[in-house]
């Protein structure tokens, strides 16, 4: 039996450490959500109508994601039905909970190649653009949150809970790890150049990218607001933008599969520093993740029903 190389051992240990860290943060969030009687009471009186309504934007988000990808593939001469694009998108999203970091993106390309015959090298630039657009929306959204609420930064507690401080530190480490990883493993721009230039030269594609990225971002924002409102937490726009975008960005760049624990822990940390109830925030973060996951199969079911109803 051949032992793995030291570099591979280090990579496996690094990923395992991040996964354990993410699971640890999930445990912190769950404990925070269950330790308070008020939190459990909030769950018991949660508005079921608002929770069900949150499934609607959770359904729209993967559809907008798939539709955006379909439009990019069309520019590259790859025709893919929306239902097929949605299937590959959902499969890649589910796979993100089993693979570290950005590995879900190649999974999406592989699914498209094996199931729908889309060339992997042709689709690779679209996957890179997707990540860049999503990250940009999170950054802009969080930035607008601080602009719309000028007193938000000053309202942060100078004595955040120890768990919240640890979560914030992990978020900074995640960003640093991303930078180091990207420097050690530069992308193969020579492989992506021709298709990338083709996408960039297609000015007719830009309105589609902007509109569908905005639609997906609004859907994510609406799902978070509806879940919070269902639990009795009314968020003004500035706080909503910060709480919905910063944790999503940290979860996206962290090497933890699916950003598991990083996203929820960041919601708890940021909200606690903003003076919001940590117990209710923990519950909001957990239910928000649940709603987003429930929206994936729901989108497939609705897509299947719509396709069958057509003549």
């Amino acid at each position: 039996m051949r032992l793995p190389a030291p570099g591979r051992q280090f990579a496996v240990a690094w990923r395992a450490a991040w996964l354990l860290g993410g699971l640890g943060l999930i445990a912190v969030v769950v404990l925070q959500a269950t330790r308070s009687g008020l939190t459990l009471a909030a769950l018991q009186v949660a508005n079921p109508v608002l929770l069900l309504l949150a499934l609607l934007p959770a359904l729209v988000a993967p559809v907008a994601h798939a539709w955006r990808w379909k439009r990019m593939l069309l520019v590259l001469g790859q025709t893919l039905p929306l239902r097929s694009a949605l299937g590959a998108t959902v499969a890649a999203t589910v796979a993100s909970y089993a693979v570290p970091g950005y590995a879900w993106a190649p999974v999406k390309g592989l699914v498209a190649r094996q199931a729908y015959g889309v060339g992997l090298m042709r689709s690779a630039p679209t996957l890179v653009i997707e990540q860049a657009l999503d990250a940009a929306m999170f950054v802009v959204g969080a930035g607008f949150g601080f602009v719309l609420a000028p007193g938000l930064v000053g309202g942060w507690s100078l004595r955040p809970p120890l768990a919240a401080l640890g979560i914030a530190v992990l978020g900074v480490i995640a960003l640093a790890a991303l930078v180091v990883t990207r420097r050690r493993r530069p992308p193969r721009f020579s492989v992506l150049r021709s298709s990338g230039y083709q996408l960039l030269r297609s000015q007719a594609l830009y309105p589609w990218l902007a509109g569908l990225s905005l639609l997906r971002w609004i859907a994510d924002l609406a799902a978070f607001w509806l879940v919070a409102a269902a639990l009795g937490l009314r968020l003004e726009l500035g706080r909503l933008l910060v709480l919905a975008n910063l944790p999503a960005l940290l979860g996206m760049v962290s090497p933890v599969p699916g950003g598991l624990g990083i996203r929820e822990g960041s919601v708890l940390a940021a909200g606690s520093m903003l003076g919001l109830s940590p117990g209710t925030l923990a519950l909001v973060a957990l239910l928000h993740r649940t709603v987003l996951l429930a929206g994936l199969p729901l989108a497939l079911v609705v897509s299947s029903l719509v396709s069958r109803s057509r003549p």
Side-chain angles (χ1 to χ4, degrees):
M1 179 178 178
R2 189 170 64 178
L3 294 176
R8 181 171 179 79
Q9 288 180 330
F10 175 79
V12 171
W14 174 256
R15 293 170 183 173
W18 270 105
L19 178 59
L20 290 176
L23 294 176
L25 290 178
I26 280 288
V28 170
V29 175
V30 171
L31 288 174
Q32 186 67 59
T34 57
R35 67 187 297 182
S36 171
L38 294 177
T39 302
L40 295 178
L43 181 60
Q44 293 174 358
V45 299
N47 190 325
V49 175
L50 291 179
L51 286 177
L52 288 175
L53 284 177
L55 291 173
L56 181 59
L59 178 158
V60 171
V63 174
H65 192 178
W67 196 357
R68 183 181 64 185
W69 188 45
K70 166 185 164 61
R71 296 300 308 186
M72 285 191 284
L73 289 176
L74 187 61
V75 171
L76 298 177
Q78 300 280 356
T79 303
L80 191 65
L82 180 59
R83 183 183 177 187
S84 300
L86 179 61
T89 299
V90 170
T93 304
V94 174
S96 70
Y97 289 89
V99 294
Y102 288 94
W104 67 268
V107 169
K108 185 174 181 178
L110 290 173
V111 170
R113 185 186 66 180
Q114 295 297 326
Y116 311 114
V118 177
L120 181 58
M121 288 298 100
R122 294 290 284 171
S123 67
T126 67
L127 305 177
V128 174
I129 291 175
E130 280 191 328
Q131 294 184 39
L133 287 173
D134 290 340
M137 292 302 295
F138 292 145
V139 171
V140 172
F144 269 114
F146 288 106
V147 170
L148 293 175
L152 200 59
V153 178
W156 283 46
S157 170
L158 296 178
R159 296 182 180 180
L162 182 59
L165 182 59
I167 293 168
V169 171
L170 280 177
V172 175
I173 294 175
L175 290 172
L178 176 69
V179 173
V180 172
T181 303
R182 287 307 188 192
R183 287 181 177 178
R184 290 182 178 179
R185 299 179 181 180
R188 298 179 179 179
F189 288 107
S190 59
V191 178
L192 308 177
R193 186 177 294 116
S194 60
S195 295
Y197 284 165
Q198 189 173 350
L199 289 170
L200 293 176
R201 286 195 300 265
S202 177
Q203 296 184 4
L205 178 63
Y206 288 9
W208 286 99
L209 294 182
L212 291 171
S213 296
L214 183 62
L215 176 61
R216 187 191 178 196
W217 177 75
I218 291 175
D220 287 337
L221 203 65
F224 191 94
W225 185 87
L226 285 168
V227 170
L231 295 174
L233 184 61
R234 302 291 179 172
L235 298 172
E236 66 272 17
L237 185 56
R239 292 179 186 271
L240 173 64
L241 288 172
V242 172
L243 289 174
N245 287 283
L246 277 182
L249 179 62
L250 291 176
M252 180 182 181
V253 302
S254 71
V256 178
L260 196 62
I262 301 296
R263 187 165 181 167
E264 291 79 7
S266 299
V267 170
L268 178 60
S272 298
M273 294 180 191
L274 292 172
L276 299 174
S277 170
T280 303
L281 277 173
L283 193 56
V284 168
L286 293 173
L287 284 179
H288 181 236
R289 170 83 72 169
T290 303
V291 165
L292 292 181
L293 289 176
L296 298 176
L298 188 59
L300 289 176
V301 170
V302 172
S303 174
S304 178
L305 292 176
V306 171
S307 62
R308 289 180 182 179
S309 65
R310 292 179 179 175

